[in-house]
Amino acid sequence: MVEELLSDTKLIPVPKALADQIRHQAARLGLSVSAITAESLRNFLKAHQLGATLGEAVDLVRLSQVHRGAGHLALQRAGFKDLVKTLYAEDPSTLRRLWRQSGRWYAAYLSSKLGEDLLGFLEKDLLLTWNLDESQVEVEDLAVRVRLVSFDMSEVLTELLVVYTKGFFEELGYACESEDVLPGLVYMEFLRKQGARL
């Protein structure tokens, strides 16, 4: 019986610090180290089958939790575009103001939830929430460069994305120094003001 059990297991060397963390977490949860390790490896294989890394899967869970806490809604792109087009035709200044406020609110919310990791999170967040094809947020000293690309974004949605992004960075204490915007193509540079949070 013992020989059968031992032939069904393998020893895998891991760094001591990691093994200690796993032991601590297992004790806290009332589980065995073997159970946690086996579940982790099964999840690694599931992520791999989906074409993702385990890190990407964890990032998506984190993104989902933040979105849920922020009250995000998922809308189908075509219906959303029609809704925005209609609202923009009726009252563009109010819609721009609301989008800027939304960006500011979301920056304040993320600041309270994430702290230092905010801009790295923003890059993935914009990609998903605005259904972009590319999203890049680069930080260099006091400057942040933002490049956003969507091959299917209208001029109106592009304008609202720019206003939203400006509101986001204003809340963090940045000023927009330059921008280059075409429908679906956005490049902006922000400079941190003295005394800004990040």
Side-chain angles (χ1 to χ4, degrees):
M1 173 97 165
V2 173
E3 288 178 6
E4 286 177 22
L5 183 61
L6 290 176
S7 69
D8 197 31
T9 62
K10 290 278 186 195
L11 293 176
I12 302 172
V14 296
K16 182 182 180 333
L18 180 59
D20 290 342
Q21 286 179 333
I22 292 171
R23 270 198 287 294
H24 174 74
Q25 190 72 343
R28 194 176 74 72
L29 296 172
L31 298 170
S32 71
V33 171
S34 295
I36 287 178
T37 304
E39 180 182 355
S40 298
L41 293 173
R42 277 192 295 275
N43 287 329
F44 165 80
L45 292 172
K46 282 181 188 176
H48 183 69
Q49 287 172 345
L50 293 171
T53 67
L54 198 52
E56 289 169 336
V58 169
D59 286 347
L60 281 175
V61 168
R62 182 180 186 206
L63 196 63
S64 173
Q65 290 171 337
V66 169
H67 287 175
R68 189 178 310 124
H72 280 205
L73 298 174
L75 300 172
Q76 195 268 339
R77 188 191 321 207
F80 178 71
K81 287 165 82 173
D82 291 342
L83 175 66
V84 168
K85 184 178 177 182
T86 302
L87 292 173
Y88 193 85
E90 290 177 13
D91 191 357
S93 61
T94 297
L95 197 56
R96 283 192 297 268
R97 182 180 53 78
L98 290 172
W99 243 255
R100 178 173 246 121
Q101 282 179 325
S102 179
R104 291 186 66 124
W105 182 91
Y106 195 52
Y109 175 76
L110 288 185
S111 292
S112 69
K113 295 289 283 184
L114 304 176
E116 296 293 320
D117 191 25
L118 179 66
L119 296 179
F121 181 89
L122 175 65
E123 183 175 88
K124 294 173 188 154
D125 186 66
L126 286 170
L127 189 69
L128 182 66
T129 57
W130 283 84
N131 200 15
L132 301 175
D133 295 294
E134 296 176 30
S135 171
Q136 190 175 34
V137 178
E138 292 180 345
V139 181
E140 186 179 312
D141 297 326
L142 301 176
V144 177
R145 285 182 288 281
V146 177
R147 191 173 79 71
L148 308 170
V149 178
S150 173
F151 299 113
D152 187 32
M153 186 174 276
S154 68
E155 188 173 344
V156 169
L157 274 177
T158 303
E159 181 182 347
L160 294 176
L161 174 59
V162 168
V163 169
Y164 173 88
T165 306
K166 284 181 179 178
F168 188 95
F169 280 97
E170 282 173 9
E171 180 64 25
L172 299 178
Y174 285 83
C176 185
E177 292 295 305
S178 68
E179 64 182 79
D180 189 9
V181 178
L182 292 170
L185 297 171
V186 175
Y187 179 82
M188 293 184 285
E189 290 188 19
F190 295 92
L191 190 60
R192 183 170 46 179
K193 298 177 196 172
Q194 191 169 355
R197 285 181 268 184
L198 290 176

